Amino acid sequence: MEKKTLDDIFADCRSCLKCPLGKTRTNLVFGVGDPNAKLMFIGEAPGRQEDLSGIPFVGAAGKLFDKYLSAVGIERERVYIANILKCRPPQNRDPLPEEEDACIGYLQEQIKAISPKMIVCLGRISAMRLIKPDFKITKEHGMFTDRGTYEICAVYHPSALLRDPYKKDEMLADMLMIKEKYDAL
Ligand code: URA
């Protein structure tokens, strides 16, 4: 795969109609943050607030995620945040396999352009796509896999923490461990 710039990938995404979501979205939610980030967080797909603003993780789940970043001392501006899908699925349903298949190439190009040392999947959908199809988030969150150029792990999706606050302690422990590894990069 040739290495494209983030601007080139953005332009490709802007005109993308590989799946029907390109027609129903309000805004493309490409990704945000430091183009040279050592750490990337990758969620699932834009929700309503993200679709309206064009920025990932700005709704209720995003606000909770920001609290974890602050709690462990990771600056949002110094990491890069993106999603598996760049366009919002209607009613926030899970992405369809064919939508993921259509969109994943853009994320792979983003990863190549940014060249992070660490990737953290936010939630099981992202983990199943980027780590392994049978990833079990309740058992395997916080466990790193070495991919050579980067290490990858998954944590709970912030929306899951809004539904089940009992998972919050595990999330904080994972985020503290991620910060420790991040500091050592
Ligand atoms: N959930 C996600 O997975 N991504 C967002 O950008 C917002 C909510």
Side-chain angles (χ1 to χ4, degrees), residues 14-81:
R14 278 284 295 267
S15 58
C16 179
L17 289 173
K18 285 193 204 169
C19 86
L21 301 183
K23 281 211 170 128
T24 55
R25 73 174 187 222
T26 310
N27 284 296
L28 169 71
V29 181
F30 180 70
V32 71
D34 182 347
N36 299 308
K38 288 183 182 165
L39 172 58
M40 270 182 94
F41 287 95
I42 301 176
E44 174 181 326
R48 186 175 140 75
Q49 294 306 321
E50 291 76 23
D51 178 64
L52 291 173
S53 65
I55 304 167
F57 284 98
V58 290
K63 293 208 164 69
L64 181 58
F65 178 55
D66 285 349
K67 283 191 188 166
Y68 281 97
L69 290 178
S70 303
V72 303
I74 296 176
E75 287 174 64
R76 187 171 158 124
E77 298 68 34
R78 299 202 58 190
V79 300
Y80 196 92
I81 306 173

